[in-house]
Amino acid sequence: MIASQDESIYDVFMNLIPDNIIAATFSTHYTALVPIDSHNLTLGYKKLAKKAFKPNMLGLCVFSLILGFAVKQLDPKADTIRRVLVETNDI
């Protein structure tokens, strides 16, 4: 069975609003279809909201933006962090 468009939109919104910005970079919410009876698949499936621990691009982008703004605001204090990020980018 394939999840409906409404569930896909719900999954996107669940991933847009993270509970924890650090955890959001490593987890993704999705709707899983689980058989009601594993021995008799003709009974149908039920939908469950689940969380997978795999990299989430949206979370990584938001975390990168927040880190960039923090480094920009801490201008002289974050000079070491900025140099590490520039050198890592060059590598």
Side-chain angles (χ1 to χ4, degrees):
M1 293 180 72
I2 299 174
S4 70
Q5 184 177 5
D6 294 339
E7 291 164 351
S8 299
I9 293 170
Y10 170 75
D11 291 340
V12 168
F13 282 115
M14 286 294 293
N15 289 316
L16 279 175
I17 306 167
D19 297 334
N20 180 344
I21 192 69
I22 304 297
T25 61
F26 298 105
S27 66
T28 302
H29 292 272
Y30 68 97
T31 302
L33 298 173
V34 180
I36 294 173
D37 183 11
S38 61
H39 301 293
N40 187 0
L41 298 179
T42 59
L43 293 176
Y45 294 86
K46 59 183 173 183
K47 299 171 186 172
L48 294 175
K50 291 198 172 190
K51 189 185 276 189
F53 292 100
K54 59 182 181 179
N56 180 355
M57 288 305 295
L58 180 63
L60 288 171
C61 291
V62 170
F63 179 72
S64 298
L65 283 171
I66 290 172
L67 180 64
F69 286 134
V71 169
K72 180 71 174 162
Q73 293 298 320
L74 298 171
D75 198 29
K77 297 177 185 175
D79 214 20
T80 305
I81 295 171
R82 185 180 300 113
R83 279 186 280 171
V84 167
L85 293 172
V86 168
E87 292 298 324
T88 304
N89 188 34
D90 291 342
I91 292 173

Coordinates of all heavy atoms in Angstrom, one line a residue:
M1 N 0.8 -1.2 0.0 CA 0.0 0.0 0.0 C 0.9 1.3 0.0 O 2.0 1.3 0.6 CB -0.9 0.0 1.2 CG -1.9 -1.1 1.2 SD -3.0 -1.0 2.7 CE -3.9 0.4 2.4
I2 N 0.4 2.3 -0.6 CA 1.1 3.6 -0.7 C 0.4 4.6 0.2 O -0.8 4.7 0.2 CB 1.2 4.0 -2.1 CG1 1.9 3.0 -3.0 CG2 1.8 5.4 -2.2 CD1 1.9 3.3 -4.5
A3 N 1.2 5.4 0.9 CA 0.6 6.4 1.8 C 0.0 7.5 0.9 O 0.4 7.8 -0.2 CB 1.7 7.0 2.7
S4 N -1.1 8.1 1.4 CA -1.8 9.1 0.7 C -1.0 10.4 0.7 O -0.1 10.6 1.4 CB -3.2 9.3 1.2 OG -3.1 10.0 2.5
Q5 N -1.5 11.4 -0.2 CA -0.8 12.7 -0.3 C -1.0 13.4 1.0 O -0.1 14.1 1.4 CB -1.5 13.5 -1.4 CG -0.8 14.8 -1.7 CD -1.4 15.5 -2.8 OE1 -2.3 15.1 -3.4 NE2 -0.8 16.6 -3.2
D6 N -2.1 13.3 1.7 CA -2.3 14.0 3.0 C -1.3 13.5 4.0 O -0.7 14.3 4.8 CB -3.7 13.7 3.6 CG -4.8 14.3 2.7 OD1 -4.5 15.3 2.0 OD2 -5.9 13.9 2.8
E7 N -1.0 12.2 4.1 CA 0.0 11.7 5.0 C 1.4 12.2 4.6 O 2.2 12.5 5.5 CB 0.0 10.2 5.0 CG -1.3 9.7 5.7 CD -1.5 8.2 5.3 OE1 -0.8 7.7 4.5 OE2 -2.4 7.7 5.9
S8 N 1.7 12.3 3.4 CA 3.0 12.8 2.9 C 3.2 14.3 3.4 O 4.2 14.7 3.8 CB 3.2 12.7 1.4 OG 3.1 11.4 1.0
I9 N 2.1 15.1 3.2 CA 2.2 16.5 3.6 C 2.3 16.6 5.2 O 3.1 17.4 5.7 CB 0.9 17.2 3.2 CG1 0.9 17.3 1.6 CG2 0.8 18.6 3.8 CD1 -0.3 17.9 1.0
Y10 N 1.6 15.7 5.9 CA 1.8 15.6 7.3 C 3.2 15.3 7.7 O 3.8 15.9 8.6 CB 0.8 14.6 7.9 CG 1.0 14.3 9.4 CD1 0.6 15.2 10.3 CD2 1.6 13.1 9.7 CE1 0.8 14.9 11.7 CE2 1.8 12.8 11.1 CZ 1.4 13.7 12.0 OH 1.6 13.4 13.3
D11 N 3.8 14.3 7.0 CA 5.2 14.0 7.3 C 6.1 15.1 7.1 O 7.1 15.3 7.9 CB 5.6 12.8 6.5 CG 4.8 11.5 6.9 OD1 4.3 11.4 8.0 OD2 4.8 10.6 6.1
V12 N 5.9 15.9 6.0 CA 6.8 17.1 5.8 C 6.7 18.1 6.9 O 7.7 18.6 7.4 CB 6.4 17.7 4.4 CG1 7.0 19.1 4.2 CG2 6.8 16.8 3.3
F13 N 5.4 18.4 7.3 CA 5.3 19.3 8.4 C 5.9 18.8 9.7 O 6.4 19.6 10.5 CB 3.8 19.7 8.6 CG 3.3 20.7 7.6 CD1 2.4 20.4 6.7 CD2 3.9 22.0 7.5 CE1 1.9 21.3 5.7 CE2 3.5 22.9 6.6 CZ 2.5 22.5 5.7
M14 N 5.8 17.5 10.0 CA 6.4 16.9 11.2 C 7.9 17.2 11.2 O 8.6 17.4 12.2 CB 6.1 15.5 11.3 CG 4.7 15.2 11.8 SD 4.3 15.7 13.4 CE 5.4 14.6 14.3
N15 N 8.5 17.1 10.0 CA 10.0 17.3 9.8 C 10.3 18.8 9.8 O 11.5 19.1 10.1 CB 10.5 16.6 8.6 CG 10.5 15.1 8.7 OD1 10.8 14.6 9.8 ND2 10.0 14.4 7.7
L16 N 9.4 19.7 9.5 CA 9.7 21.1 9.5 C 9.8 21.7 10.9 O 10.5 22.7 11.1 CB 8.6 21.9 8.7 CG 8.7 21.8 7.2 CD1 7.5 22.5 6.6 CD2 10.0 22.5 6.7
I17 N 9.0 21.2 11.8 CA 9.0 21.7 13.2 C 9.6 20.7 14.1 O 8.9 19.9 14.7 CB 7.5 22.1 13.6 CG1 6.9 23.0 12.5 CG2 7.5 22.7 14.9 CD1 5.4 23.1 12.6
P18 N 10.9 20.8 14.3 CA 11.6 19.8 15.2 C 11.4 20.2 16.7 O 11.3 21.3 17.1 CB 13.0 19.9 14.8 CG 13.2 21.3 14.3 CD 11.9 21.7 13.7
D19 N 11.4 19.1 17.5 CA 11.4 19.3 19.0 C 12.7 19.8 19.5 O 12.8 20.6 20.3 CB 11.0 18.0 19.7 CG 9.6 17.5 19.4 OD1 8.8 18.4 19.0 OD2 9.4 16.3 19.4
N20 N 13.8 19.3 18.9 CA 15.1 19.6 19.3 C 15.9 19.8 18.0 O 16.0 18.9 17.1 CB 15.7 18.5 20.1 CG 17.1 18.7 20.6 OD1 17.8 19.5 20.1 ND2 17.5 17.9 21.6
I21 N 16.6 20.9 17.8 CA 17.3 21.2 16.6 C 18.4 20.2 16.3 O 18.7 19.9 15.2 CB 17.8 22.7 16.5 CG1 18.2 23.1 15.1 CG2 18.9 22.9 17.5 CD1 17.1 23.2 14.1
I22 N 19.1 19.8 17.3 CA 20.2 18.8 17.1 C 19.6 17.4 16.7 O 20.1 16.8 15.8 CB 21.1 18.7 18.4 CG1 21.6 20.1 18.8 CG2 22.2 17.7 18.2 CD1 22.5 20.7 17.8
A23 N 18.6 17.0 17.4 CA 18.0 15.7 17.1 C 17.4 15.7 15.8 O 17.3 14.7 15.1 CB 17.0 15.3 18.2
A24 N 16.9 16.9 15.3 CA 16.3 17.0 14.0 C 17.2 16.7 12.8 O 16.8 16.2 11.8 CB 15.7 18.4 13.8
T25 N 18.5 16.8 13.1 CA 19.5 16.5 12.0 C 19.6 15.0 11.8 O 20.2 14.6 10.8 CB 20.8 17.2 12.3 OG1 21.3 16.6 13.5 CG2 20.7 18.7 12.4
F26 N 19.2 14.2 12.8 CA 19.4 12.8 12.7 C 18.2 12.0 12.8 O 18.2 10.8 13.0 CB 20.4 12.3 13.8 CG 21.7 13.0 13.7 CD1 22.1 14.0 14.6 CD2 22.6 12.5 12.7 CE1 23.4 14.6 14.4 CE2 23.9 13.1 12.6 CZ 24.2 14.1 13.5
S27 N 17.0 12.6 12.7 CA 15.8 11.8 12.7 C 14.8 12.4 11.7 O 14.8 13.5 11.4 CB 15.2 11.9 14.1 OG 14.7 13.2 14.4
T28 N 13.9 11.5 11.2 CA 12.9 11.8 10.3 C 11.6 11.1 10.7 O 11.6 10.0 11.1 CB 13.3 11.2 8.9 OG1 14.5 11.8 8.5 CG2 12.3 11.6 7.8
H29 N 10.5 11.9 10.7 CA 9.2 11.3 10.9 C 8.6 10.8 9.6 O 8.7 11.5 8.6 CB 8.3 12.4 11.5 CG 8.7 12.8 12.9 ND1 8.2 12.2 14.0 CD2 9.4 13.8 13.3 CE1 8.7 12.8 15.1 NE2 9.5 13.8 14.7
Y30 N 7.9 9.7 9.7 CA 7.2 9.2 8.5 C 6.0 8.3 9.0 O 5.9 7.9 10.1 CB 8.2 8.4 7.6 CG 8.7 7.1 8.3 CD1 8.1 5.9 8.0 CD2 9.7 7.1 9.2 CE1 8.5 4.7 8.5 CE2 10.2 5.9 9.7 CZ 9.6 4.7 9.4 OH 10.0 3.5 10.0
T31 N 5.1 8.0 8.0 CA 4.0 7.2 8.3 C 4.3 5.8 7.8 O 4.6 5.6 6.6 CB 2.7 7.8 7.6 OG1 2.5 9.1 8.0 CG2 1.5 6.9 7.9
A32 N 4.2 4.8 8.6 CA 4.5 3.4 8.3 C 3.1 2.7 8.2 O 2.2 2.9 8.9 CB 5.4 2.8 9.3
L33 N 3.1 1.8 7.2 CA 1.9 0.9 7.1 C 2.3 -0.5 7.7 O 3.2 -1.1 7.2 CB 1.5 0.7 5.6 CG 1.1 2.0 5.0 CD1 0.9 1.8 3.5 CD2 -0.2 2.5 5.6
V34 N 1.6 -0.9 8.8 CA 1.9 -2.1 9.5 C 0.7 -3.0 9.3 O -0.4 -2.6 9.5 CB 2.2 -1.8 11.0 CG1 2.5 -3.0 11.7 CG2 3.3 -0.8 11.1
P35 N 1.0 -4.3 9.0 CA -0.1 -5.2 8.8 C -0.8 -5.4 10.2 O -0.2 -5.5 11.2 CB 0.5 -6.5 8.3 CG 2.0 -6.4 8.5 CD 2.3 -4.9 8.7
I36 N -2.2 -5.5 10.1 CA -2.9 -5.8 11.3 C -2.6 -7.1 11.9 O -2.4 -7.3 13.1 CB -4.4 -5.6 11.1 CG1 -4.8 -4.2 10.7 CG2 -5.3 -6.1 12.2 CD1 -6.2 -3.9 10.2
D37 N -2.5 -8.1 11.0 CA -2.1 -9.5 11.4 C -1.0 -9.9 10.5 O -1.2 -10.0 9.3 CB -3.3 -10.4 11.3 CG -3.0 -11.9 11.8 OD1 -2.0 -12.1 12.4 OD2 -3.8 -12.7 11.5
S38 N 0.2 -10.2 11.1 CA 1.3 -10.5 10.2 C 1.2 -11.9 9.5 O 1.8 -12.1 8.5 CB 2.6 -10.5 11.1 OG 2.5 -11.5 12.1
H39 N 0.3 -12.7 10.0 CA 0.0 -14.0 9.3 C -1.0 -14.0 8.3 O -1.1 -14.9 7.4 CB -0.3 -15.1 10.4 CG 0.7 -15.3 11.4 ND1 2.0 -15.8 11.2 CD2 0.7 -15.0 12.8 CE1 2.7 -15.8 12.3 NE2 2.0 -15.3 13.3
N40 N -1.9 -13.0 8.3 CA -3.0 -12.9 7.4 C -3.0 -11.4 6.8 O -3.6 -10.5 7.4 CB -4.3 -13.2 8.0 CG -5.4 -13.3 7.0 OD1 -5.2 -13.0 5.8 ND2 -6.6 -13.5 7.5
L41 N -2.3 -11.2 5.7 CA -2.2 -9.8 5.2 C -3.4 -9.3 4.6 O -3.5 -8.1 4.3 CB -1.0 -9.7 4.2 CG 0.4 -10.1 4.8 CD1 1.4 -10.0 3.7 CD2 0.7 -9.2 5.9
T42 N -4.4 -10.2 4.3 CA -5.6 -9.7 3.7 C -6.5 -8.9 4.6 O -7.5 -8.3 4.2 CB -6.4 -10.9 3.2 OG1 -6.8 -11.8 4.2 CG2 -5.7 -11.7 2.1
L43 N -6.2 -8.9 5.9 CA -7.0 -8.1 6.9 C -6.8 -6.6 6.7 O -7.5 -5.8 7.2 CB -6.7 -8.6 8.3 CG -7.2 -10.0 8.7 CD1 -6.7 -10.3 10.1 CD2 -8.7 -10.1 8.5
G44 N -5.7 -6.3 6.1 CA -5.4 -4.9 5.9 C -4.2 -4.4 6.7 O -3.5 -5.1 7.4
Y45 N -4.0 -3.1 6.7 CA -2.9 -2.4 7.3 C -3.4 -1.3 8.2 O -4.4 -0.7 7.9 CB -1.9 -1.9 6.3 CG -1.2 -2.9 5.4 CD1 -1.8 -3.4 4.3 CD2 0.0 -3.4 5.8 CE1 -1.2 -4.4 3.5 CE2 0.6 -4.4 5.0 CZ 0.0 -4.9 3.9 OH 0.6 -5.8 3.2
K46 N -2.6 -0.9 9.2 CA -2.9 0.2 10.0 C -1.7 1.2 9.8 O -0.6 0.8 9.6 CB -3.1 -0.1 11.5 CG -1.9 -0.8 12.1 CD -2.3 -1.2 13.6 CE -1.2 -2.0 14.1 NZ -1.5 -2.5 15.5
K47 N -2.0 2.5 10.0 CA -1.0 3.5 9.8 C -0.5 4.0 11.1 O -1.2 4.3 12.1 CB -1.6 4.7 9.1 CG -2.1 4.3 7.7 CD -2.9 5.5 7.1 CE -3.5 5.0 5.8 NZ -4.4 5.9 5.2
L48 N 0.9 4.0 11.2 CA 1.5 4.4 12.5 C 2.5 5.5 12.1 O 3.3 5.4 11.2 CB 2.3 3.2 13.1 CG 1.4 2.1 13.7 CD1 2.3 1.0 14.2 CD2 0.5 2.6 14.8
A49 N 2.6 6.5 13.0 CA 3.6 7.5 12.9 C 4.9 7.0 13.5 O 4.9 6.6 14.7 CB 3.2 8.8 13.5
K50 N 6.0 7.0 12.8 CA 7.2 6.5 13.3 C 8.4 7.5 13.1 O 8.2 8.4 12.3 CB 7.6 5.2 12.6 CG 6.7 4.0 12.9 CD 7.3 2.7 12.6 CE 6.5 1.6 13.1 NZ 7.2 0.3 13.0
K51 N 9.5 7.2 13.8 CA 10.6 8.1 13.7 C 11.8 7.2 13.3 O 12.1 6.2 13.9 CB 10.9 8.7 15.0 CG 12.0 9.8 15.0 CD 12.3 10.3 16.4 CE 11.3 11.4 16.8 NZ 11.7 12.0 18.0
A52 N 12.5 7.6 12.2 CA 13.7 6.9 11.8 C 14.9 7.7 12.1 O 14.9 8.9 12.0 CB 13.6 6.7 10.3
F53 N 16.0 7.1 12.6 CA 17.2 7.8 12.9 C 18.2 7.6 11.7 O 19.0 6.7 11.6 CB 17.8 7.2 14.2 CG 17.0 7.5 15.4 CD1 16.2 6.6 15.9 CD2 17.1 8.8 15.9 CE1 15.4 6.9 17.0 CE2 16.3 9.1 17.0 CZ 15.4 8.1 17.6
K54 N 18.0 8.6 10.8 CA 18.9 8.7 9.6 C 19.0 10.2 9.3 O 18.2 11.0 9.8 CB 18.3 7.9 8.4 CG 17.0 8.4 8.0 CD 16.5 7.5 6.9 CE 15.1 8.1 6.4 NZ 14.6 7.3 5.3
P55 N 20.1 10.6 8.6 CA 20.3 12.0 8.3 C 19.1 12.6 7.7 O 18.5 12.1 6.8 CB 21.5 12.0 7.4 CG 22.2 10.8 7.7 CD 21.1 9.8 8.1
N56 N 18.7 13.8 8.1 CA 17.6 14.6 7.6 C 18.1 15.9 7.0 O 18.7 16.7 7.7 CB 16.6 14.9 8.8 CG 15.4 15.7 8.3 OD1 15.3 16.1 7.2 ND2 14.5 15.9 9.3
M57 N 18.0 16.1 5.7 CA 18.6 17.2 5.0 C 18.0 18.5 5.5 O 18.8 19.5 5.7 CB 18.4 17.1 3.5 CG 19.3 16.0 2.9 SD 21.1 16.2 3.3 CE 21.4 17.8 2.5
L58 N 16.8 18.6 5.8 CA 16.1 19.8 6.3 C 16.7 20.2 7.6 O 17.1 21.4 7.8 CB 14.6 19.6 6.4 CG 13.9 20.8 6.9 CD1 14.0 22.0 5.9 CD2 12.4 20.5 7.0
G59 N 16.9 19.2 8.5 CA 17.5 19.5 9.8 C 18.9 20.0 9.7 O 19.3 20.9 10.4
L60 N 19.7 19.3 8.8 CA 21.1 19.7 8.6 C 21.2 21.2 8.1 O 22.0 21.9 8.5 CB 21.8 18.8 7.6 CG 22.0 17.4 8.2 CD1 22.5 16.5 7.1 CD2 23.1 17.4 9.3
C61 N 20.3 21.6 7.2 CA 20.3 22.9 6.6 C 19.9 23.9 7.7 O 20.6 25.0 7.8 CB 19.3 23.0 5.5 SG 19.8 22.1 4.0
V62 N 18.9 23.6 8.5 CA 18.5 24.6 9.6 C 19.6 24.7 10.6 O 19.9 25.8 11.1 CB 17.2 24.1 10.2 CG1 16.9 24.9 11.5 CG2 16.0 24.2 9.2
F63 N 20.2 23.6 11.0 CA 21.3 23.6 12.0 C 22.5 24.4 11.4 O 23.1 25.2 12.1 CB 21.8 22.2 12.3 CG 22.9 22.2 13.3 CD1 22.7 22.5 14.6 CD2 24.2 21.8 12.9 CE1 23.7 22.5 15.5 CE2 25.2 21.8 13.7 CZ 25.0 22.1 15.1
S64 N 22.8 24.3 10.1 CA 23.9 25.0 9.5 C 23.6 26.5 9.5 O 24.5 27.3 9.8 CB 24.1 24.6 8.1 OG 24.5 23.2 8.1
L65 N 22.3 26.9 9.2 CA 22.0 28.3 9.2 C 22.1 28.9 10.6 O 22.7 30.0 10.8 CB 20.5 28.5 8.7 CG 20.3 28.4 7.2 CD1 18.9 28.4 6.9 CD2 21.0 29.6 6.5
I66 N 21.6 28.2 11.6 CA 21.7 28.7 13.0 C 23.2 28.8 13.4 O 23.6 29.8 14.1 CB 20.9 27.8 13.9 CG1 19.4 28.0 13.7 CG2 21.2 28.1 15.4 CD1 18.5 27.0 14.4
L67 N 24.0 27.8 13.1 CA 25.4 27.9 13.4 C 26.1 29.1 12.7 O 26.9 29.8 13.3 CB 26.1 26.6 13.1 CG 27.6 26.5 13.4 CD1 27.8 26.6 14.9 CD2 28.2 25.2 12.8
G68 N 25.7 29.3 11.5 CA 26.3 30.4 10.7 C 25.9 31.7 11.4 O 26.8 32.6 11.5
F69 N 24.6 31.9 11.7 CA 24.2 33.2 12.4 C 24.9 33.3 13.7 O 25.3 34.5 14.1 CB 22.7 33.2 12.6 CG 22.0 33.4 11.3 CD1 20.9 32.7 11.0 CD2 22.4 34.4 10.4 CE1 20.2 32.9 9.8 CE2 21.7 34.6 9.2 CZ 20.6 33.9 8.9
A70 N 25.1 32.3 14.5 CA 25.7 32.4 15.8 C 27.2 32.8 15.6 O 27.7 33.6 16.4 CB 25.6 31.0 16.5
V71 N 27.9 32.2 14.7 CA 29.3 32.6 14.4 C 29.4 34.0 14.0 O 30.3 34.7 14.4 CB 29.9 31.6 13.4 CG1 31.3 32.1 12.9 CG2 30.1 30.2 14.0
K72 N 28.4 34.5 13.1 CA 28.4 35.8 12.7 C 28.2 36.8 13.8 O 28.8 37.9 13.9 CB 27.3 36.0 11.6 CG 27.2 37.4 11.1 CD 28.4 37.7 10.2 CE 28.2 39.1 9.5 NZ 29.4 39.6 9.0
Q73 N 27.3 36.5 14.8 CA 27.0 37.4 15.9 C 28.2 37.4 16.9 O 28.4 38.5 17.5 CB 25.7 36.9 16.6 CG 24.5 37.1 15.8 CD 24.2 38.6 15.4 OE1 24.4 39.4 16.2 NE2 23.8 38.8 14.2
L74 N 28.9 36.3 17.0 CA 30.0 36.3 18.0 C 31.3 36.6 17.3 O 32.3 36.0 17.5 CB 30.1 34.9 18.6 CG 28.9 34.4 19.4 CD1 29.1 32.9 19.8 CD2 28.8 35.2 20.7
D75 N 31.3 37.7 16.5 CA 32.4 38.0 15.5 C 33.8 37.8 16.1 O 34.5 36.9 15.6 CB 32.2 39.4 15.0 CG 32.9 39.7 13.8 OD1 33.1 38.7 13.0 OD2 33.3 40.9 13.5
P76 N 34.3 38.5 17.0 CA 35.7 38.3 17.5 C 35.9 37.0 18.3 O 36.9 36.4 18.3 CB 36.0 39.5 18.3 CG 34.7 40.1 18.7 CD 33.7 39.7 17.7
K77 N 34.8 36.6 19.0 CA 34.9 35.5 19.9 C 34.9 34.2 19.1 O 35.4 33.2 19.6 CB 33.8 35.5 20.9 CG 33.8 36.7 21.9 CD 32.6 36.6 22.8 CE 32.5 37.9 23.6 NZ 31.3 37.9 24.4
A78 N 34.3 34.2 18.0 CA 34.1 32.9 17.2 C 35.2 32.8 16.1 O 35.0 32.1 15.1 CB 32.7 32.9 16.6
D79 N 36.2 33.6 16.2 CA 37.3 33.5 15.1 C 37.9 32.2 15.0 O 38.1 31.7 13.8 CB 38.4 34.6 15.5 CG 38.9 35.2 14.2 OD1 38.2 35.2 13.2 OD2 40.0 35.7 14.3
T80 N 38.1 31.4 16.0 CA 38.7 30.1 15.9 C 37.7 29.1 15.3 O 38.1 28.4 14.4 CB 39.0 29.6 17.4 OG1 39.9 30.5 18.0 CG2 39.7 28.2 17.3
I81 N 36.4 29.2 15.6 CA 35.4 28.4 15.0 C 35.3 28.7 13.5 O 35.2 27.8 12.7 CB 34.0 28.5 15.7 CG1 34.1 28.1 17.1 CG2 33.0 27.8 14.9 CD1 32.9 28.4 18.0
R82 N 35.4 30.0 13.2 CA 35.3 30.4 11.8 C 36.5 29.8 11.0 O 36.3 29.3 9.9 CB 35.2 31.9 11.6 CG 35.0 32.3 10.2 CD 34.9 33.8 10.0 NE 33.9 34.4 10.8 CZ 34.0 35.3 11.8 NH1 35.2 35.6 12.2 NH2 33.0 35.8 12.5
R83 N 37.7 29.9 11.5 CA 38.8 29.4 10.8 C 38.8 27.9 10.6 O 39.1 27.3 9.6 CB 40.1 29.7 11.6 CG 40.5 31.2 11.3 CD 41.8 31.5 12.0 NE 41.5 31.7 13.4 CZ 42.3 31.9 14.3 NH1 43.6 31.8 14.1 NH2 41.9 32.2 15.6
V84 N 38.2 27.1 11.7 CA 38.1 25.7 11.5 C 37.1 25.4 10.4 O 37.3 24.5 9.6 CB 37.6 25.1 12.9 CG1 37.2 23.6 12.7 CG2 38.7 25.1 13.9
L85 N 36.0 26.1 10.4 CA 35.0 25.9 9.3 C 35.5 26.2 7.9 O 35.3 25.5 7.0 CB 33.7 26.7 9.6 CG 32.9 26.3 10.8 CD1 31.8 27.2 11.1 CD2 32.4 24.8 10.7
V86 N 36.3 27.3 7.8 CA 36.9 27.6 6.5 C 37.9 26.6 6.1 O 37.9 26.2 4.9 CB 37.5 29.0 6.6 CG1 38.4 29.3 5.3 CG2 36.4 30.1 6.7
E87 N 38.7 26.1 7.0 CA 39.7 25.1 6.6 C 39.1 23.8 6.3 O 39.5 23.1 5.3 CB 40.7 24.9 7.8 CG 41.6 26.1 8.0 CD 42.5 26.4 6.8 OE1 43.0 25.5 6.1 OE2 42.7 27.6 6.6
T88 N 38.0 23.4 7.0 CA 37.3 22.2 6.7 C 36.6 22.3 5.3 O 36.7 21.3 4.5 CB 36.2 22.0 7.7 OG1 36.8 21.9 9.0 CG2 35.5 20.6 7.5
N89 N 36.1 23.5 5.0 CA 35.5 23.7 3.6 C 36.6 23.6 2.6 O 36.3 23.0 1.5 CB 34.8 25.0 3.6 CG 34.1 25.2 2.3 OD1 33.5 24.3 1.8 ND2 34.0 26.5 1.8
D90 N 37.8 24.1 2.8 CA 38.9 24.1 1.8 C 39.3 22.6 1.6 O 39.7 22.3 0.5 CB 40.1 24.9 2.3 CG 39.7 26.4 2.2 OD1 38.8 26.8 1.5 OD2 40.5 27.2 2.9
I91 N 39.3 21.8 2.6 CA 39.7 20.4 2.5 C 38.7 19.7 1.6 O 39.0 18.9 0.8 CB 39.9 19.8 3.9 CG1 41.1 20.4 4.6 CG2 40.1 18.2 3.8 CD1 41.2 19.9 6.0

